[in-house]
Amino acid sequence: MNTENQHIALVTGATGGLGTHICKRLSEDGYIVCANYRSEEKAQEWKKKMEAEGYQFYLYKADVCDYDAVEQMIKAIEQDHGVVDILVNNAGITKDGIFKKMSKENWQDVIATNLTSVFNCCRHVINQMIDQNYGRIVNISSVNGQRAQFGQVNYAAAKAGMHGITKTLAIEVANKGITVNTISPGYVATDMVMAVPEEVRNKIIAGIPVGRLGGTGEIAHLVSFLAARDTAFITGANYAINGGQHVY
Ligand code: CAA
């Protein structure tokens, strides 16, 4: 928390489809929003666009796969604003392909970006959260970490692993004012989902009982809920938000 008692939120992968909406929503909620990114060119354009829309975000470059780079980023945020109160582990990629053809690189890249990043970011904020006896960690997983999706062995493993981190970290820090939860979105209208071949995507949409893709704002709304101070009794939970595609 900074000197004006404003909570500080860090969103990884901020410039992507979900990340953008999460940043906007947390900013509207009154948090100072630190936006992590990897690509300089995209981030500068994004910041300009956000400013034109009236949002002020603080950009922090770091490859979330890189433990040391994340440590530097967290230190810089602490220097500029204070301790990270809310961490949203949102950075993620897909490198889909059937398992028999999956390369070692496509396995490693997805595990590093989607899962090791969660370790890296949580590890570098957790002690300060413990010291201040407050924190909110929200991990953005996926419906495909809960159920099977043809062509996503790497992604499903990472997203299921993410919830494994959530559950165990949640109980380790439960008595320190810190909550750790997972959100598992289904298919949401982002570039990632639009990259799925149209024919395959249409079949997927046909299998969503609500009858459409999710909206990024709908996911951001749930992040906002879990980031709030008064959700202190919710921890180690997984929130499915998938239009009824997978009920369990
Ligand atoms: N179920 C069963 N069999 C399937 C199948 C399915 N869903 N999809 C493909 N197959 C079979 C094909 O019939 C084919 O069989 P034969 O070899 O016997 O002919 C074989 O698998 C290979 O199929 P393709 O030629 O289509 O293989 P490909 O390598 O070109 O593409 C794929 C495979 C990459 C998995 C492609 O189908 C695809 O992109 N699927 C979508 C994956 C997906 O949903 N990704 C989600 C991305 S968004 C996201 O991840 C966000 C989130 O959190 C929800």
Side-chain angles (χ1 to χ4, degrees):
M1 202 180 286
N2 76 354
T3 46
E4 285 156 21
N5 285 347
Q6 236 180 328
H7 277 144
I8 294 153
L10 167 61
V11 180
T12 68
T15 59
L18 267 185
T20 299
H21 233 118
I22 293 169
C23 288
K24 286 181 178 180
R25 180 60 198 250
L26 294 179
S27 171
E28 287 158 12
D29 289 345
Y31 305 121
I32 291 175
V33 178
C34 300
N36 157 261
Y37 69 97
R38 191 157 57 167
S39 153
E40 193 66 53
E41 203 179 315
K42 185 177 175 193
Q44 294 307 336
E45 261 177 47
W46 178 82
K47 190 166 191 280
K48 267 192 219 149
K49 187 166 180 276
M50 294 299 109
E51 280 170 358
E53 290 182 31
Y55 293 96
Q56 190 192 13
F57 300 132
Y58 299 92
L59 285 179
Y60 288 90
K61 184 173 184 171
D63 178 348
V64 286
C65 307
D66 180 338
Y67 185 81
D68 296 332
V70 172
E71 183 175 29
Q72 292 313 310
M73 172 177 69
I74 301 295
K75 280 188 178 152
I77 293 172
E78 284 171 6
Q79 253 174 11
D80 295 345
H81 306 287
V83 169
V84 172
D85 303 288
I86 298 151
L87 167 64
V88 184
N89 284 306
N90 167 70
I93 56 168
T94 50
K95 294 207 171 175
D96 295 350
I98 56 178
F99 185 70
K100 66 181 181 183
K101 290 196 261 177
M102 188 173 285
S103 67
K104 189 173 87 177
E105 289 70 30
N106 284 359
W107 167 261
Q108 288 173 338
D109 286 354
V110 170
I111 296 296
T113 307
N114 298 11
L115 183 62
T116 306
S117 64
V118 180
F119 169 77
N120 293 341
C121 294
C122 290
R123 185 67 188 81
H124 289 302
V125 299
I126 204 74
N127 283 320
Q128 298 87 319
M129 285 184 176
I130 289 171
D131 288 346
Q132 68 172 11
N133 205 35
Y134 187 79
R136 296 280 178 268
I137 297 175
V138 182
N139 293 324
I140 308 296
S141 179
S142 164
V143 64
N144 294 342
Q146 259 67 59
R147 55 154 218 162
Q149 173 56 52
F150 200 95
Q152 285 202 306
V153 161
N154 47 5
Y155 188 83
K159 294 298 189 180
M162 204 180 224
H163 190 53
I165 295 177
T166 290
K167 289 187 285 186
T168 293
L169 183 56
I171 63 163
E172 286 192 17
V173 297
N175 64 351
K176 305 287 179 201
I178 303 166
T179 66
V180 189
N181 291 293
T182 302
I183 293 178
S184 294
Y187 284 73
V188 176
T190 59
D191 289 349
M192 186 187 270
V193 168
M194 296 326 263
V196 173
E198 193 179 358
E199 196 195 354
V200 178
R201 195 172 63 241
N202 287 340
K203 274 194 202 146
I204 291 169
I205 296 171
I208 303 174
V210 166
R212 61 169 174 85
L213 295 173
T216 49
E218 292 174 299
I219 311 301
H221 181 64
L222 187 49
V223 173
S224 158
F225 170 73
L226 290 171
R229 186 171 272 280
D230 49 9
T231 51
F233 204 57
I234 302 173
T235 198
N238 176 40
Y239 279 72
I241 175 164
N242 62 42
Q245 187 185 12
H246 179 57
V247 287
Y248 56 98

